[in-house]
């Protein structure tokens, strides 16, 4: 393992920045965000970002292609590919796991999304293990280990003022070689996060939910939701998008932007029919998608326990509580949840 | 490595520019558009598959490909919203953008060697027509073909040349047309599609029923078919949903864990009965 004092992290980043862009978690007036590192950027190694790093692979707004129109003629112009390499420094194990779900969506089932694929291929991942659980996170309930980071090129862990760096791939090896003059060989005493305040047990739930689509539970559960969509935007596994035209004069760009199943327009069809017309249907869609539909389609639960949705929900809709209530509704018992004082 | 991924052949979201070569007025609110690209057909769909059609500066929407020729595709489009309004304002020569094909299409293998009963209402005949034409082009692969089609009024009947001239002339084929209410020149059937279906009273023996139309028609047609002892795996229908990507990523066209753009739009009634009732 390579060791470096946390104060020296900017020096590593600077070295890497020579031939690629490095995104780091920076505290910006109380909200942590992944932004390209620049001289003076204050990297934060505590907690997690407000907006998940999915935005670096699946941006909130992204141009798909350009077009021109003139009279009756139309022209569609493909974008030039950006091949610059990028590094994301400090991605947490939960958000790292969410990339596996996004990979399933964007890269499988017969169609590969080239916009996502390009960014995935051009990006090296430096994961930062969690030594402390936030008040609102519950990754272990989603079978994610806060002390492991499979899929990352480099795993980093912090103990006191020391940061340990371990390469997991060839790409990671190369990156560490580039900064070998700044690091020393050694081990650090890292203890991964335990004592999660929030817990939920999803074991056996997906199979049972199928029979409870029409349960009166949904009517009751959705009541306090205000349909703002914050949960979907902050969710690292939510992947829904809209496609729009933005025209100026005789040319324009086709863009896609994050969309949300919490909005009525999302499924509203020309002619007025809406298969999910009310809050109950949309609320049910969000939770069944995470807990039943996604597991059926991709064999994974579409929740990584990052807790952003419940931390930022204005109505305090708590997915761990919903999971617990659904266990009761489906009659599979309270499940394996340790009581935490 | 990652070369040219955003270019046409590797990018399923990038459409092909096509020219509208012919526009047919089917009814007061339905037009059929013939489209062809520089290299002929933009793609070759199987019956029941879909194409994403766009006026690049207005928007994109998914339509079934109602028919195809050597070098063109046909889309029959009803005027119901912003994009379809704009499409209906087009003149021949207009360039649009098209991508596809999407969806599973009709289960040709399941239909082969069987008698086919097509039941359509209004614009619902558009997707059925792709399979009907396919059957006539491969006539020996299919048994008796029966088509029951209805609309609100004689003026609202789509594909008049096919339903009155081309199809009834085909061998081993029966076409029954009905309208909810006729006009002074109408001498044919009057009544709803399920009524005509019950009068015709087809036997389910060796048959596949392919149904598409407004929800209220489908509801009563399914009741009638059940009465005639059609089983749920003998009944096939094709669904509509709002779609943006067409490739199973954007999320909105799901019914439970199925995506209509990938796993549909064609489903048997048996499959639909196993899915949440949310379409």
């Amino acid at each position: 393992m390579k060791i470096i004092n946390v104060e020296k992290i900017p020096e590593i980043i600077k070295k890497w920045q020579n031939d690629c862009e490095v995104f780091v978690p920076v505290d910006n007036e109380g909200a942590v965000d992944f932004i390209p590192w620049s001289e003076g950027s204050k990297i934060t190694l505590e907690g997690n970002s407000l907006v998940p790093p999915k935005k670096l692979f699946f941006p909130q707004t992204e141009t798909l292609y350009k077009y021109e129109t003139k009279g009756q003629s139309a022209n569609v112009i493909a974008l030039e590919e950006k091949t610059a390499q990028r590094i994301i420094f400090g991605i947490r194990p939960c958000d790292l796991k969410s990339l596996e779900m996004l990979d399933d969506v964007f890269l499988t089932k017969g169609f590969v999304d080239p916009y996502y694929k390009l960014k995935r291929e051009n990006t090296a991942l430096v994961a930062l293990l969690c030594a402390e659980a936030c008040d609102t996170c519950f990754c272990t309930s989603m079978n994610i280990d806060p002390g492991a980071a499979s899929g990352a090129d480099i795993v980093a862990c912090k103990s006191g003022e020391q940061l340990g760096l371990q390469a997991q791939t060839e790409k990671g090896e190369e990156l560490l070689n580039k900064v070998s003059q700044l690091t020393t060989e050694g081990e650090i005493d890292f203890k991964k996060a335990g004592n999660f305040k929030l817990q939920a047990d999803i074991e056996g739930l997906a199979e049972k939910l199928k029979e409870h689509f029409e349960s009166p539970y949904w009517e009751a559960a959705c009541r306090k939701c205000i349909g703002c969509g914050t949960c979907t935007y902050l969710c690292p596994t939510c992947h829904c998008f809209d496609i729009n035209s933005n025209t100026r004069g005789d040319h324009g760009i086709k863009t896609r932007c994050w969309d949300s199943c919490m909005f009525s327009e999302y499924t509203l069809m020309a002619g007025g029919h809406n298969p999910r017309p009310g809050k109950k249907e949309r609320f049910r869609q969000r939770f069944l998608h995470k807990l039943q539909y996604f597991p059926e389609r991709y064999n994974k639960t579409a929740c990584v326990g990052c807790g952003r949705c419940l931390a930022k929900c204005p109505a305090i809709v708590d997915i761990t509580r919903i999971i617990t209530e659904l266990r009761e509704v489906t009659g599979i018992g309270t499940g394996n949840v340790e009581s935490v004082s | 490595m990652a070369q040219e991924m955003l270019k046409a052949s590797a990018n399923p979201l990038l459409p092909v520019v096509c020219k509208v070569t012919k526009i047919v007025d089917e009814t007061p609110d339905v037009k059929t558009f013939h489209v062809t690209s520089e290299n002929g057909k933009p793609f070759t769909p199987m019956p029941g598959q879909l194409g994403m059609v766009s006026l690049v500066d207005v928007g994109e929407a998914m339509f079934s490909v109602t028919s195809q020729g050597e070098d063109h595709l046909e889309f029959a489009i009803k005027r119901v919203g912003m994009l379809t309004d704009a499409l209906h304002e087009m003149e021949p020569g207009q360039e649009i953008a098209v991508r596809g094909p999407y969806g599973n299409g009709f289960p040709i293998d399941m239909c082969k060697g069987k008698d086919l009963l097509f039941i359509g209402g209004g614009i619902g005949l558009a997707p059925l027509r792709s399979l009907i034409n396919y059957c006539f082009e491969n006539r020996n692969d299919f048994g008796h073909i029966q088509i029951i089609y209805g609309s609100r009024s004689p003026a609202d009947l789509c594909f008049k040349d096919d339903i009155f001239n081309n199809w009834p002339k085909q061998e081993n084929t029966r076409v029954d047309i009905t309208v909810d209410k006729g006009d002074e020149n109408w001498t044919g059937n009057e009544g709803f599609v399920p009524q005509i279906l019950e009068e015709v009273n087809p036997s389910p023996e060796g048959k596949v029923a392919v149904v598409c139309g407004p929800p209220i028609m489908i509801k009563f047609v399914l009741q009638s078919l059940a009465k005639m002892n059609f089983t749920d795996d003998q009944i096939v229908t094709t669904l509509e949903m709002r779609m943006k990507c067409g490739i199973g990523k954007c999320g909105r066209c799901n019914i439970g864990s199925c995506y209509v753009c990938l796993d549909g739009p064609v489903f048997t009634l048996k499959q639909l009965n196993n899915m949440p009732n949310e379409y």
Side-chain angles (χ1 to χ4, degrees), chain A residues 224-256:
Chain A
K224 61 182 183 177
C225 171
I226 60 167
C228 68
T230 298
C231 52
T232 55
Y233 289 144
L234 297 185
C235 177
T237 73
C238 274
H239 57 81
C240 292
F241 60 85
D242 193 10
I243 296 179
N244 282 300
S245 303
N246 305 274
T247 308
R248 283 211 176 157
D250 57 5
H251 64 279
I253 51 173
K254 193 66 95 173
T255 54
R256 71 169 160 199

Side-chain angles (χ1 to χ4, degrees), chain A residues 57-77:
Chain A
F57 302 97
F58 169 47
Q60 185 163 8
T61 304
E62 173 169 39
T63 302
L64 299 177
Y65 54 88
K66 298 177 187 177
Y67 55 80
E68 296 166 343
T69 57
K70 202 164 201 183
Q72 283 197 315
S73 75
N75 192 14
V76 168
I77 306 143

